[in-house]
Amino acid sequence: MKKRDRQHWLRFLLFGIALWVGAGAQAGVVTQVQIRDADGGMGADGASFGFYLEGTASYINGTDDGGAFINLGVGTFSLDADWGSGFQSLLTYCLEPTQNVMFGLYANDPVGLTYEAADITDVGYTEDQKQILETLWANAFDDSLTSDVKAAAFQAVLWEISIDDEYFFTDGNFALNFNEPYTLDVILQAREWLDNILNGVWTTKVDLVALHNETSQDFLVPVSTIPGPGALAVMGVAGLIKRRRRS
């Protein structure tokens, strides 16, 4: 292809992208969502367990900051999400182990907080870590809803790759206490799943995005749950939200 032809082709491509983005804006691309507690926005009375799906909540013994072992609350979040056509059920997991949920903790909150959908790499994860999350979700998410151990293991994998550069579960800034029997069960399940991903046993993936709020805990959601062209906007246009990536 001649240089002039390449230039014309590039201009045409950029013009097409501009038209696509502009058309999406005119069509009301959805990239924002209201998140609240699944119980119609009823307050959880300050207890994080009030947000968890029944049968999945538990404590694991460990640390998320490299300090002393403490009991860490884990489970599948059972929330409501409204993309503009009414609240619907959202089952998800935490992306930020040191950030609290800031809606509905102490009072009824029927509206909840506004979150924005963003690429996972814009909220502190690398592209490789994003691939791990998407493979984990595709192969273990449904299974994680079946018991508290599996829900805890799913959450442990997310936190391990979020906090540490090497994934051992028993040392580093995110470390679990293998001397505590229940926590050991969680470690063994988490290791099995992560090994399946890293060793190529699991290859199926599902496209995920982060739901981000600056003052509240971030969550994961499959792109397929975002209505209309909003999912394409999130996946195709980089930089909706730019946060400092973890060092």
Side-chain angles (χ1 to χ4, degrees), residues 24-35:
Q26 292 296 321
V29 167
V30 179
T31 57
Q32 289 191 337
V33 58
Q34 294 297 122
I35 303 292

Side-chain angles (χ1 to χ4, degrees), residues 121-125 214 242-247:
T121 60
D122 288 334
V123 296
Y125 289 80
E214 284 290 345
K242 291 297 183 184
R243 294 178 60 193
R244 180 177 64 83
R245 299 191 184 198
R246 70 184 182 90
S247 58

Side-chain angles (χ1 to χ4, degrees), residues 113-144:
L113 288 180
T114 301
Y115 279 71
E116 292 209 45
D119 193 279
I120 294 171
T121 60
D122 288 334
V123 296
Y125 289 80
T126 68
E127 183 62 36
D128 287 343
Q129 290 170 333
K130 176 182 176 180
Q131 301 302 314
I132 292 174
L133 295 184
E134 293 183 335
T135 306
L136 177 70
W137 192 286
N139 293 275
F141 177 77
D142 289 344
D143 197 18
S144 77

Side-chain angles (χ1 to χ4, degrees), residues 174-234:
F174 178 70
L176 299 179
N177 182 6
F178 57 85
N179 291 311
E180 198 280 313
Y182 179 83
T183 304
L184 177 59
D185 289 342
V186 172
I187 293 170
L188 294 175
Q189 180 64 81
R191 277 181 170 168
E192 177 185 333
W193 284 345
L194 189 55
D195 285 346
N196 284 344
I197 298 170
L198 298 179
N199 295 332
V201 176
W202 288 346
T203 57
T204 304
K205 293 185 294 185
V206 60
D207 289 331
L208 298 174
V209 293
L211 300 183
H212 169 71
N213 181 288
E214 284 290 345
T215 62
S216 187
Q217 196 170 101
D218 289 356
F219 306 107
L220 277 176
V221 63
V223 172
S224 60
T225 66
I226 303 176
L232 293 176
V234 172

Side-chain angles (χ1 to χ4, degrees), residues 2 22 25 72 77 95 111 136 154 192 197 199 247:
K2 295 181 179 179
L72 304 170
F77 279 106
L95 277 178
V111 176
L136 177 70
F154 196 97
E192 177 185 333
I197 298 170
N199 295 332
S247 58

Side-chain angles (χ1 to χ4, degrees), residues 122-175:
D122 288 334
V123 296
Y125 289 80
T126 68
E127 183 62 36
D128 287 343
Q129 290 170 333
K130 176 182 176 180
Q131 301 302 314
I132 292 174
L133 295 184
E134 293 183 335
T135 306
L136 177 70
W137 192 286
N139 293 275
F141 177 77
D142 289 344
D143 197 18
S144 77
L145 308 180
T146 62
S147 76
D148 53 2
V149 169
K150 291 182 177 181
F154 196 97
Q155 185 63 83
V157 175
L158 268 61
W159 285 352
E160 175 72 317
I161 69 169
S162 170
I163 296 175
D164 289 328
D165 294 323
E166 296 182 328
Y167 311 140
F168 297 114
F169 294 100
T170 54
D171 61 9
N173 289 322
F174 178 70

Side-chain angles (χ1 to χ4, degrees), residues 90-102:
L90 171 66
L91 297 178
T92 185
Y93 284 92
C94 161
L95 277 178
E96 297 179 295
T98 59
Q99 176 68 280
N100 292 323
V101 175
M102 297 306 293

